[in-house]
């Protein structure tokens, strides 16, 4: 259904919220401007907006809170749309409960051991929020801030540009980091993410997106029957705190071998120490292609029941595959269903966890005068 001003205002009225547009014709399809509506308010009165985009059969809703993908709808083999990403229907749950549903992650995606690293001879102590370790930027990472968002059209593409400035010392990180993230829906329905960042002091950066995927539809049950292929012959084993040991281990002969397509649940209950550490899969794959100048295809996820297929291309060297192990039945999602273990998975394109403390891993250091750039493309079919 075409998303126009009348349907936006009607939907907003039903929810008790106000809808606005960016001017011009308020459509979210065919390269026209995205639609903006009030989603809720923070405790201090700050307004959080939701932006709706549609192009090439893909429908995307994004919050200014944490750049969150609140929903992403794609058609099945019969053309029927469903939301395939986990999320909430209110801002209060995103603030108080979310396990990074759909969020932009920074300054550093994944874990840094003991929240510490040394750069240019100086030691830094970061915010710790995962036992003794720092996870996804600390207690107030990029996912827990309101971003400045602007809608755009460019030819047949439609999208959003999101900005956030992280001040020097925020969560313990050095340097004022200016981050810019662009979400684009192409005329083919691809969702592209372009990350960019600059700093005024040497720092470390690792930005990613934390969408929880279930291609059968949000709240529909386990993803263990989803079929997955990852172009990686090595992965990074972890210790009991899920910090990489530094080894680049072969996936051959382990539950982590997805070089040939297999179901997510095929080996997830094998008595393997790495699976015990993660309570399932929560590991970084070392992509065979390494760091590349342009995004290259690295993973394919397919739901056989609907035919929905996701292909991921990236220029990054790693892919964190998380099988939703810590979804514990305490969260209720947008469709009114309880989320339980294995009800979704994440495929986070990134540099490796704990890279600032692992000299053999690709560097995540960003220096003044240079720009951090990364691109990931999600392509959908059925």
């Amino acid at each position: 259904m075409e998303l126009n001003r009348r349907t936006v205002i009607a939907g907003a009225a039903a929810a008790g919220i106000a809808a606005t547009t960016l001017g011009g014709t308020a459509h979210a399809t065919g390269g026209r401007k995205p639609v903006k509506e009030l989603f809720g308010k923070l405790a201090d009165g700050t307004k959080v907006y939701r932006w709706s985009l549609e192009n090439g059969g893909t429908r995307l809703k994004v919050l200014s809170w944490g750049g969150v993908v609140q929903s992403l709808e794609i058609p099945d083999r019969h053309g029927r749309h469903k939301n395939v990403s986990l999320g909430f229907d209110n801002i209060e749950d995103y603030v108080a409960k979310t396990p990074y549903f759909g969020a932009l992650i920074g300054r550093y995606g994944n874990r840094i051991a003991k929240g510490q690293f040394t750069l240019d001879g100086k030691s830094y102590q970061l915010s710790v929020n995962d036992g003794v370790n720092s996870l996804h930027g600390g207690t107030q990472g990029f996912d827990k801030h309101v971003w400045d968002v602007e809608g755009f059209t460019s030819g047949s593409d439609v999208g959003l540009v999101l900005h956030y400035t992280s001040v020097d010392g925020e969560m313990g990180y050095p340097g004022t980091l200016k981050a810019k993230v662009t979400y684009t829906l192409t005329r083919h329905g691809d969702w592209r993410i372009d990350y960019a960042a600059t700093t005024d002091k040497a720092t470390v950066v690792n930005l990613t997106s934390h969408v929880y995927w279930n291609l059968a539809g949000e709240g529909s049950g386990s993803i263990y029957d989803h079929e997955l292929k990852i172009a990686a012959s090595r992965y990074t084993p972890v210790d009991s705190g899920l910090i990489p040991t530094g080894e680049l281990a072969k996936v051959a002969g382990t539950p982590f071998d997805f070089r040939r397509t297999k179901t997510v649940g095929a080996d997830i209950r094998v008595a393997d120490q790495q699976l015990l550490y993660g309570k399932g899969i929560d590991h970084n794959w070392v992509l065979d292609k390494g760091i590349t100048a342009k995004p290259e295809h690295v993973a394919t996820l397919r739901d056989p029941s609907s035919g929905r297929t996701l292909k991921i291309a990236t220029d990054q060297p790693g892919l964190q595959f998380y099988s939703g192990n810590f979804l514990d039945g305490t969260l209720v999602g947008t469709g009114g269903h309880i989320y339980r273990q294995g009800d979704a998975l994440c495929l986070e394109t990134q540099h490796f966890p704990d890279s600032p403390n692992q000299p053999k891993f690709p560097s995540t250091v960003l220096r003044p005068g240079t720009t951090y750039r990364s691109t990931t493309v999600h392509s959908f079919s059925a």
Side-chain angles (χ1 to χ4, degrees):
M1 181 179 70
E2 187 179 48
L3 187 61
N4 56 33
R5 183 172 175 80
R6 182 175 297 173
T7 57
V8 170
I9 292 177
I17 56 180
T20 63
T21 71
L22 289 179
T25 306
H27 295 258
T29 185
R32 296 169 183 164
K33 291 184 177 180
V35 171
K36 175 186 178 183
E37 59 185 327
L38 182 65
F39 183 71
K41 294 182 180 180
L42 304 181
D44 65 0
T46 300
K47 294 179 180 180
V48 174
Y49 292 97
R50 178 170 63 186
W51 297 74
S52 298
L53 304 84
E54 183 172 353
N55 206 6
T58 300
R59 303 167 181 168
L60 181 66
K61 293 185 178 181
V62 176
L63 305 183
S64 57
W65 173 259
V68 163
V69 172
Q70 194 227 0
S71 72
L72 196 157
E73 298 182 16
I74 56 174
D76 65 6
R77 60 169 63 92
H78 301 294
R80 296 173 298 201
H81 279 77
K82 275 192 177 181
N83 175 23
V84 297
S85 68
L86 271 57
F88 298 118
D89 63 2
N90 64 88
I91 188 58
E92 291 78 14
D93 282 349
Y94 278 109
V95 172
K97 302 179 181 179
T98 182
Y100 306 101
F101 283 155
L104 285 174
I105 302 298
R107 287 189 190 189
Y108 197 95
N110 222 306
R111 293 172 174 87
I112 295 180
K114 298 181 180 179
Q116 299 174 349
F117 69 92
T118 299
L119 178 59
D120 296 338
K122 184 175 180 179
S123 296
Y124 296 92
Q125 177 63 58
L126 308 176
S127 164
V128 295
N129 59 332
D130 185 49
V132 299
N133 303 318
S134 184
L135 174 66
H136 295 332
T139 55
Q140 296 290 321
F142 284 9
D143 60 297
K144 295 178 178 65
H145 291 276
V146 174
W147 290 59
D148 293 325
V149 185
E150 297 177 357
F152 73 87
T153 59
S154 178
S156 58
D157 294 341
V158 60
L160 303 172
V161 179
L162 302 95
H163 292 272
Y164 176 70
T165 297
S166 175
V167 299
D168 184 20
E170 185 173 271
M171 296 295 102
Y173 287 91
T176 294
L177 188 84
K178 295 183 178 181
K180 173 185 175 183
V181 179
T182 305
Y183 290 165
T184 304
L185 285 186
T186 73
R187 64 186 180 90
H188 301 293
D190 296 346
W191 174 40
R192 176 183 174 119
I193 310 176
D194 291 286
Y195 306 88
T198 58
T199 184
D200 60 359
K201 292 182 183 178
T203 191
V204 294
V205 184
N206 189 28
L207 306 183
T208 191
S209 171
H210 210 294
V211 171
Y212 283 68
W213 301 99
N214 186 322
L215 297 183
E218 170 273 338
S220 64
S222 171
I223 44 77
Y224 291 159
D225 62 348
H226 278 39
E227 299 166 348
L228 179 63
K229 184 177 182 180
I230 303 175
S233 55
R234 293 176 296 168
Y235 77 109
T236 52
V238 296
D239 63 19
S240 59
L242 300 182
I243 297 296
T245 63
E247 179 185 6
L248 305 181
K250 293 181 179 180
V251 299
T254 78
F256 302 93
D257 192 351
F258 284 87
R259 292 174 296 173
R260 293 184 179 181
T261 302
K262 68 177 182 181
T263 61
V264 169
D267 299 316
I268 206 164
R269 301 196 185 278
V270 170
D272 181 277
Q273 184 61 62
Q274 287 295 307
L275 294 178
L276 290 170
Y277 283 153
K279 296 181 173 58
I281 298 172
D282 193 2
H283 293 75
N284 169 68
W285 266 250
V286 180
L287 298 173
D288 290 339
K289 71 174 189 62
I291 300 172
T292 47
K294 296 181 179 180
E296 294 186 10
H297 176 230
V298 295
T300 300
L301 180 70
R302 181 178 182 272
D303 168 44
S305 64
S306 66
R308 294 188 185 93
T309 301
L310 162 65
K311 291 185 176 181
I312 296 178
T314 186
D315 51 14
Q316 292 291 280
L319 181 75
Q320 183 80 11
F321 170 22
Y322 167 58
S323 57
N325 317 322
F326 297 100
L327 297 174
D328 59 4
T330 62
L331 303 177
V332 178
T334 49
H337 301 286
I338 293 174
Y339 295 150
R340 299 189 182 277
Q341 185 180 51
D343 278 359
L345 61 82
C346 302
L347 297 169
E348 305 157 57
T349 57
Q350 57 180 29
H351 271 60
F352 305 165
D354 200 37
S355 289
N357 297 309
Q358 302 280 355
K360 293 183 180 180
F361 289 0
S363 175
T364 55
V365 174
L366 178 67
R367 298 188 180 278
T370 61
T371 301
Y372 168 97
R373 297 189 188 279
S374 172
T375 298
T376 295
V377 181
H378 307 80
S379 300
F380 307 103
S381 61

